[in-house]
Amino acid sequence: MAEPASLLQQWIAKAEEDWEAAQLLSSSPSQAATTCFHCQQCAEKLLKTALLTAGGTIPKTHDLRILSSLLSERDPLWIWDLDVLEDLNAGAVASRYPGYAVDRQDAADSLNATRTLRRTLLNRLQIQPGS
């Protein structure tokens, strides 16, 4: 069953909020972990939007690898590097707790990975990416 366009637009709007937050926070060295968190959140919401668009349902998971695999089941042309997705997962979860150090380079890597994934998914969704 196709989802209403308004629901898909809401998912995209939330993903774009996370993308904007990640970009803004990335300029502050003390916000590297939070930057990584918002990068993962942006990627998660866009993968879920693509999954809905492909006729899937949204599972109760935040794991980008699982979401990407589910999208691949619906669209065999979809392939993404699972190691990159795992790095984004780690940035969102482990980095939020003591004992897992994240630095500016980690935040920059997360931003770059998310930028590429975001543009690819928005293009697949036929949405012109902003910044």
Side-chain angles (χ1 to χ4, degrees):
M1 177 171 128
E3 295 296 323
S6 64
L7 177 61
L8 298 174
Q9 291 169 350
Q10 290 173 45
W11 275 99
I12 293 165
K14 290 295 185 182
E16 291 297 285
E17 286 178 20
D18 283 310
W19 177 241
E20 184 177 342
Q23 291 179 93
L24 290 170
L25 292 166
S26 68
S27 64
S28 174
S30 68
Q31 296 299 317
T34 308
T35 298
C36 292
F37 173 77
H38 284 288
C39 284
Q40 187 278 346
Q41 286 291 288
C42 174
E44 177 184 334
K45 290 169 184 145
L46 288 175
L47 280 167
K48 287 180 175 181
T49 303
L51 192 54
L52 282 173
T53 301
T57 58
I58 296 178
K60 293 187 180 197
T61 185
H62 301 287
D63 189 325
L64 301 178
R65 295 167 309 164
I66 291 171
L67 295 170
S68 185
S69 295
L70 290 170
L71 182 55
S72 291
E73 290 173 11
R74 296 232 164 236
D75 181 356
L77 297 177
W78 173 257
I79 295 175
W80 207 262
D81 186 333
L82 296 180
D83 291 335
V84 170
L85 298 177
E86 179 53 32
D87 288 345
L88 287 172
N89 282 336
V93 180
S95 71
R96 308 291 290 160
Y97 297 95
Y100 188 95
V102 175
D103 60 23
R104 288 187 85 162
Q105 186 59 52
D106 295 320
D109 292 345
S110 288
L111 278 170
N112 287 331
T114 303
R115 180 179 293 110
T116 303
L117 179 62
R118 176 180 164 268
R119 286 187 182 183
T120 301
L121 286 168
L122 288 176
N123 285 334
R124 290 173 66 82
L125 296 166
Q126 300 180 346
I127 295 169
Q128 193 66 16
S131 59

